[in-house]
Amino acid sequence: MNEEANQTKRKITIKDILLLQGIIVIYTMSGVAAKFASANEFLSFRFILFYGIEICILGVYALLWQQIIKRFDLSIAYANRSIALLWSMVWAAVFFHEGITVQNIIGVLIVLAGTIVVNSDGN
């Protein structure tokens, strides 16, 4: 039965990986919206606006995530979610002008290396 399951799984393409990464980018944008919401007075118009944007982003992400995990083993999909650390660091620098330290870069490189190892098929 395990052989049957392996034969019915289709090969993961670069397009699949890019689609997964796009969905992860969408997910990380919810954090950006949350940070913008937190900069405003609680229940002000701008707070509610950014909080609403965050909820919409998370809704879109949930729907897309359900579709993408059909294409991947769950362990592979979740390992790729760790790339959210990279995108979060990029958004912190771009939108909020936060600094990126050497430790941040080393940490993200370690995560990237781990993701590559998990995604490799052992060949």
Side-chain angles (χ1 to χ4, degrees):
M1 180 165 161
N2 194 16
E3 288 179 40
E4 264 181 17
N6 287 338
Q7 289 175 350
T8 59
K9 277 212 181 268
R10 66 182 190 80
K11 184 154 175 73
I12 296 172
T13 65
I14 291 293
K15 181 181 170 186
D16 294 330
I17 296 289
L18 291 175
L19 186 59
L20 176 61
Q21 292 307 312
I23 292 168
I24 292 167
V25 167
I26 290 169
Y27 170 71
T28 60
M29 293 306 291
S30 70
V32 172
K35 178 112 174 162
F36 277 124
S38 72
N40 294 285
E41 185 179 332
F42 182 64
L43 295 180
S44 67
F45 174 77
R46 289 179 55 88
F47 174 86
I48 293 170
L49 174 68
F50 284 118
Y51 191 66
I53 290 170
E54 178 187 11
I55 290 171
C56 288
I57 291 170
L58 288 172
V60 168
Y61 164 74
L63 294 172
L64 294 173
W65 182 254
Q66 289 173 10
Q67 297 306 308
I68 198 70
I69 60 176
K70 292 178 185 177
R71 299 177 185 214
F72 292 89
D73 288 340
L74 196 55
S75 61
I76 300 293
Y78 270 98
N80 277 275
R81 273 190 53 186
S82 63
I83 302 301
L85 292 171
L86 170 66
W87 290 112
S88 296
M89 186 172 65
V90 169
W91 303 146
V94 169
F95 292 113
F96 306 108
H97 309 292
E98 296 178 4
I100 297 174
T101 67
V102 173
Q103 290 88 349
N104 295 140
I105 294 169
I106 291 170
V108 167
L109 289 175
I110 290 169
V111 168
L112 287 173
T115 301
I116 291 168
V117 168
V118 170
N119 282 325
S120 67
D121 61 2
N123 294 332

